[in-house]
Amino acid sequence: MRAVVVDAFGGPEQVRVAEVEVPRAGAGQVRIRVRAAGVNPVDGAVRAGVFGGAGRPIGLGWDVAGEIDEVGPGVEGWTPGRRVVGLHYGPLKGLGTHAEYAVLDASAVAAAPASVDTAVAAALPLSGLTAARALDLLGLAPGDSVLVTGAAGSVGGLAVQLAARAGLVVTALAGEGDEELVRALGATEFVPRGSAPAARVDGVLDAAVLGAPALAAVRDGGAYVGLIPGAAPAAERGVRVAVQEVAPDGARLARLAALVDEGALTLRVARTFDLADAQQAHEALSTPGTRGRVVLTVS
């Protein structure tokens, strides 16, 4: 089968499509015939060598949408042909989801949302689970105020929607041209990039990884949640600082997929590329102003 890998670190030119053996589903696992897979910033970081792993081919891809093709021993509740989405966690793996087939733990998959096509469904797993976990870590109650930085991005946009649905008063920080978008997603207030909110908020979900400037927007004793381990600012003024670490979670992913089908969660795809054009997908990944997930499709 075809799979996207990197053998050396650098820019999009390091991405190549290799011929590899089709993997088999082991105990507790399912094999998915991949139809679409999101291309995330973490894929660019793996390609650039942020996580190390030199000396062997590294498979790319965390998001997946497709149909179950094979069920491993001990798996219950899944049968071949079921349309699913899933998260293949881990920066250093021999095969990722940017391939014709991917093997995931059965606990990492969920029924795909029925109301959107496969390319759109592929934008849900990593961004949705990241946004949901970050909001959980904030620990805010209905009526509390939250600032979401990077609110027009894939994670930030989902966080705005989930926060508004949870009854939080959402201030969105994004580019000046994104005000209409983030308000449509559920933001009550808008702050253009480079500015600060008029009043401090109960919590900040720092999807833009601003660090200290985002922390400064939190009231004394409030909460700050970042998305990248090791990149959070030091706590001050009694502000609780936490960093989410995404994890496979089929049950939560199923709840997010249900929200998509209810019309309560909107997924956005910026561009799609064929698997053979993975290099171009990585070029698009780093294009400034991209709104929505870049997705590889597999025919």
Side-chain angles (χ1 to χ4, degrees):
M1 70 169 189
R2 296 174 299 157
V4 178
V5 301
V6 292
D7 303 294
F9 301 136
E13 73 282 354
Q14 298 297 342
V15 174
R16 72 179 181 92
V17 179
E19 289 289 333
V20 302
E21 293 293 323
V22 176
R24 299 299 304 268
Q29 297 180 321
V30 295
R31 185 172 68 194
I32 298 170
R33 175 62 170 95
V34 180
R35 300 299 179 184
V39 183
N40 290 277
V42 69
D43 295 305
V46 172
R47 184 202 70 223
V50 170
F51 301 99
R56 60 183 176 88
I58 301 172
L60 299 179
W62 294 48
D63 289 323
V64 63
E67 304 94 35
I68 290 180
D69 172 76
E70 182 182 62
V71 176
V75 173
E76 298 181 356
W78 295 113
T79 55
R82 288 286 302 277
R83 186 168 173 261
V84 295
V85 290
L87 177 67
H88 192 350
Y89 176 86
L92 300 178
K93 50 205 175 196
L95 290 175
T97 61
H98 296 172
E100 293 181 305
Y101 294 89
V103 171
L104 277 70
D105 289 342
S107 60
V109 303
S115 59
V116 297
D117 66 28
T118 305
V120 174
L124 177 62
L126 180 57
S127 293
L129 289 170
T130 297
R133 178 166 172 75
L135 282 171
D136 278 357
L137 288 175
L138 279 174
L140 300 178
D144 286 346
S145 58
V146 62
L147 172 68
V148 178
T149 71
S154 293
V155 173
L158 291 175
V160 168
Q161 295 177 71
L162 292 171
R165 180 177 173 81
L168 303 181
V169 179
V170 182
T171 297
L173 189 152
E176 290 188 3
D178 294 316
E179 181 173 2
E180 182 178 354
L181 167 64
V182 296
R183 287 190 182 276
L185 295 176
T188 302
E189 302 294 335
F190 172 76
V191 178
R193 187 182 298 119
S195 303
R200 283 178 168 169
V201 294
D202 296 308
V204 166
L205 193 159
D206 191 14
V209 198
L210 299 182
L215 182 69
V218 184
R219 66 166 174 80
D220 293 359
Y224 166 102
V225 172
L227 303 187
I228 300 178
E236 60 180 44
R237 298 180 289 106
V239 175
R240 178 174 53 84
V241 173
V243 178
Q244 77 83 37
E245 175 73 19
V246 75
D249 188 340
R252 166 160 274 179
L253 189 53
R255 294 194 293 272
L256 293 170
L259 290 178
V260 174
D261 283 337
E262 292 169 14
L265 200 59
T266 298
L267 303 172
R268 295 174 293 145
V269 172
R271 295 182 66 183
T272 62
F273 295 85
D274 186 86
L275 184 70
D277 299 320
Q279 281 192 5
Q280 290 93 314
H282 275 253
E283 291 168 359
L285 180 67
S286 57
T287 300
T290 299
R291 293 292 177 260
R293 179 59 60 226
V294 174
V295 174
L296 289 175
T297 57
V298 186
S299 55

